[in-house]
Every structure is written in C-alpha cells, then in structure tokens.
Amino acid sequence: MTEGFMGPPWQDDWTTAAEADREALPDHARDLVLTARAELVTAPDPYFRGIDTDRDLPSGMSVEPVQSTRPGGLHVCYFDHGRGWLRYEFTRRETDPQIVIDQCFWQ
C-alpha cells in the first residue's frame, strides 16, 4: 500500500505571509531559516515523533507539536537556540506529500 509513497526530500510550501517574513530577515537569519528548512525536508518523519528523534538535529534546533494533544497537527521547529521558529504542518499523502510553513519568525 505504501509502495507508491514518496519519501524525503519532501516538498515545502510557504504561505505568502511566512515567505514575506523570511525575505524581510537579515541575511544571516535567512541562512538559519534555510538550514532549519533543510532539516525538515530531509527528515524521514518531519514531525520527529518518538523519544529523542530530534537528537540528530544541529545544535540549537528542536521540534515539538504546538498542542501535545494533537501530535499530527501543527509543529514548531525552533532554531538559533529558540530565537527563531518555523511553524508548519506536514501533509502525508501518496502523491505530493508536503510541508506547509505558515509562520517564520526570528528575533
């Protein structure tokens, strides 16, 4: 049944607001965002489910669900030791699975 299922790298799509926020960041912060995005699109499971599944992320990055009661819903990928984050949702489907990033923030 999963024979046709696509794996990483996943497609990613940015909402207009998230893309505008990313483009407004200074260059070094934009590089951090692109590093975080690269980790998400290449992860076997972009929700990093399970114990210590995000231990292989670079230093200063972590992932957690927005609501602990919805482990398959919105997630936040923190980067730069919590100074920034990407809020996203992963849509798993056989054709064209993708990560939709709806918020990009860095301070």
Side-chain angles (χ1 to χ4, degrees):
M1 183 177 223
T2 60
E3 189 173 306
F5 184 72
M6 297 172 59
W10 309 107
Q11 301 281 338
D12 69 322
D13 191 22
W14 295 70
T15 63
T16 304
E19 193 168 5
D21 290 342
R22 180 190 70 203
E23 293 303 317
L25 294 174
D27 289 341
H28 70 281
R30 208 170 320 136
D31 291 342
L32 294 168
V33 168
L34 293 177
T35 300
R37 176 213 162 268
E39 292 294 330
L40 292 177
V41 300
T42 59
D45 178 3
Y47 281 162
F48 296 90
R49 288 177 265 232
I51 298 171
D52 292 333
T53 54
D54 62 355
R55 72 181 178 278
D56 294 329
L57 288 173
S59 176
M61 286 183 65
S62 64
V63 173
E64 64 184 40
V66 171
Q67 294 178 310
S68 62
T69 57
R70 298 195 61 212
L74 286 171
H75 273 60
V76 177
C77 174
Y78 296 100
F79 59 91
D80 195 18
H81 302 279
R83 292 186 66 198
W85 63 78
L86 299 175
R87 188 174 67 184
Y88 68 96
E89 188 163 14
F90 178 58
T91 305
R92 183 181 287 273
R93 49 187 177 221
E94 269 194 43
T95 57
D96 196 31
Q98 69 177 351
I99 296 170
V100 177
I101 300 169
D102 73 347
Q103 187 177 59
C104 175
F105 179 81
W106 182 81
Q107 57 183 354

